[in-house]
Amino acid sequence: MNLITTKIAKVIEEAPNIKTFIFDFKGKATPGQFIMVWLPGINEKPMSLSYVENFGITVKKVGEFTEKLHELEEGDLIGFRGPYGRGFKIEGEKLLIVVGGIGIAPIAPLVEEATRLSKEATVIMGARNKNELIFVERIKKTGAKIILATEDGSIGVKGTVIDALMLRKESFDQCFACGPEKMLVQVLKYAKARKIPTQLSLERYFKCGIGICGSCALDDKGLLVCRDGPVFYDHELNGEFGKYKRDASGRRIKI
């Protein structure tokens, strides 16, 4: 897909070091898909869509690229390609949705779409503290059941999302999750023990975003996160999942 250049229609400061950028662009995307965001003279990076109609991304400032992105204001131009990848497929009636930190970006539109389809959703959200929990009001507006967890106990369950997850006794038809990979490993373990089909959104180093360069290889069997994911079903995940990622050279590194 060709590069699209558009204006930033709105900038929202969600939390310290986290901003949402709404584009002046109406598109069509599935919750869980991503775009390749381009900043001239800086780089191009994959970003999950946190809004899938008026395209939007939610970005935590963690390095040079995101620092430059955070400097942009309403009316500034931004470039992107996409949307790309496989998003979430809403299956079942009673849904368990687990999210850690900035992983809420692709999860928020999933919850909105699921509740629009009259699905019963339980959303467990976690962060280090209450100031880093974003989209809480957005999720509440959907009517989904929401459970909060913070590592410092400043709001909700004191502990991680996994601590909050282990307290759940209900049965579910489907589980969805996005967050740090060590968290995803624990979510998958929980779901498999209860025979809950699961979809997980993964993050890997991307270059092209369209399955050509191979830098986002998930294993040695040919699975690419940009092309075959970023959302994967439980039965597809083995090999390097939860153990290794790859750096810019393609070398495996421990998670």
Side-chain angles (χ1 to χ4, degrees), residues 199-220:
Q199 298 175 41
L200 303 177
S201 178
L202 271 60
E203 179 183 345
R204 284 294 187 277
Y205 180 85
F206 284 14
K207 288 182 182 177
C208 70
I210 54 175
I212 295 175
C213 72
S215 64
C216 65
L218 184 59
D219 55 27
D220 294 327

Side-chain angles (χ1 to χ4, degrees), residues 21 39 47 57 59 65-72 78:
F21 301 86
L39 295 180
M47 298 282 173
I57 56 175
V59 184
F65 183 87
T66 53
E67 285 177 2
K68 293 295 183 183
L69 193 55
H70 270 235
E71 293 175 2
L72 297 180
I78 193 168

